[in-house]
Amino acid sequence: DTGVSQNPRHKITKRGQNVTFRCDPISEHNRLYWYRQTLGQGPEFLTYFQNEAQLEKSRLLSDRFSAERPKGSFSTLEIQRTEQGDSAMYLCASSSSGVETQYFGPGTRLLVL
Amino acid sequence: GEDVEQSLFLSVREGDSSVINCTYTDSSSTYLYWYKQEPGAGLQLLTYIFSNMDMKQDQRLTVLLNKKDKHLSLRIADTQTGDSAIYFCAESDTGRRALTFGSGTRLQVQP
């Protein structure tokens, strides 16, 4: 399967714990995006990388959130000191420069108890 | 900021055509997209249209764009039960890579 993959698919954690999610983009794609989707809503943009550079961050990305893409391939999204309001589906997408279509992974569903 | 609006729900009978509508506010939108999401799954890209086009057809899917009214529609011909899902309209502009999504339209196809 050469699509976008995300791990884990589900995560249950207690409030105050840290969690980390991983995204592996389509191999030839140099752009990678993180979105968050809450129940009944469309995805909301969090941040975007071109290669290893983080070029844009949404105001939704509080200082408890950090994303990295150290080698320009996979990316991680870490949430520190999780809160119940962080419960959502976290979606990763990738695209190529000059091609404006983003392809999404299956998402990581986070539940904070 | 940008805003994308969709109706919440549409119910059709199997074999009929479905038309899902979307309006957007960003006059600098360059691409408009339709994604499909099945329960518990990620988003599947269905089709997209560049803002200088007014129609695009892809098998059972027809996208119509009225740029003057900032209105986008997705027509699904011969709707099947497997088309039951949530459909999201999204837009992007030349200044940003991020997509702005609507809240989604739930399509229910009755046998």
Side-chain angles (χ1 to χ4, degrees):
Chain A
D1 183 13
T2 56
V4 178
S5 62
Q6 293 187 244
N7 287 288
R9 294 292 310 277
H10 300 91
K11 179 71 177 178
I12 301 174
T13 191
K14 292 183 179 177
R15 190 177 53 185
Q17 298 294 303
N18 299 344
V19 294
T20 300
F21 311 139
R22 176 177 169 129
C23 171
D24 287 88
I26 293 171
S27 59
E28 62 268 26
H29 286 181
N30 63 336
R31 291 181 178 154
L32 188 148
Y33 312 79
W34 285 99
Y35 292 82
R36 181 175 71 183
Q37 184 180 23
T38 53
L39 205 60
Q41 299 298 316
E44 295 174 292
F45 170 74
L46 292 177
T47 190
Y48 144 66
F49 291 84
Q50 179 156 310
N51 300 313
E52 63 275 9
Q54 189 173 18
L55 296 186
E56 189 175 348
K57 291 196 285 188
S58 160
R59 58 182 165 76
L60 291 177
L61 209 70
S62 78
D63 55 8
R64 296 185 299 105
F65 287 69
S66 62
E68 293 183 342
R69 195 182 183 201
K71 297 179 181 176
S73 56
F74 73 91
S75 175
T76 57
L77 177 68
E78 181 183 17
I79 309 174
Q80 295 182 327
R81 305 181 304 281
T82 52
E83 301 173 356
Q84 288 182 324
D86 297 330
S87 295
M89 175 84 94
Y90 289 84
L91 293 162
C92 175
S94 68
S95 71
S96 289
S97 299
V99 180
E100 299 299 332
T101 48
Q102 296 180 23
Y103 295 89
F104 282 78
T108 295
R109 185 172 294 281
L110 173 67
L111 178 61
V112 182
L113 301 175
Chain B
E2 308 91 356
D3 194 22
V4 178
E5 300 273 347
Q6 299 179 240
S7 52
L8 290 179
F9 186 75
L10 176 66
S11 180
V12 300
R13 290 198 173 276
E14 192 173 16
D16 288 349
S17 292
S18 308
V19 179
I20 302 171
N21 295 300
C22 170
T23 57
Y24 60 98
T25 59
D26 186 359
S27 57
S28 60
S29 293
T30 50
Y31 284 91
L32 294 123
Y33 306 82
W34 286 103
Y35 284 86
K36 175 184 179 183
Q37 187 175 39
E38 298 185 63
L43 278 73
Q44 175 192 353
L45 176 65
L46 290 178
T47 188
Y48 64 97
I49 188 167
F50 189 53
S51 59
N52 68 355
M53 299 168 65
D54 52 18
M55 187 181 95
K56 182 178 180 181
Q57 188 154 2
D58 184 1
Q59 299 183 342
R60 292 190 298 123
L61 305 179
T62 302
V63 179
L64 295 178
L65 175 61
N66 181 327
K67 195 174 180 182
K68 174 177 170 289
D69 293 339
K70 299 191 181 70
H71 182 267
L72 182 75
S73 68
L74 174 70
R75 179 176 179 269
I76 305 172
D78 187 26
T79 314
Q80 303 297 306
T81 54
D83 295 324
S84 293
I86 300 176
Y87 291 79
F88 290 97
C89 169
E91 64 89 23
S92 65
D93 66 38
T94 50
R96 301 182 66 229
R97 298 293 170 202
L99 296 179
T100 301
F101 284 85
S103 297
T105 299
R106 180 178 296 276
L107 174 64
Q108 181 182 72
V109 182
Q110 297 177 349

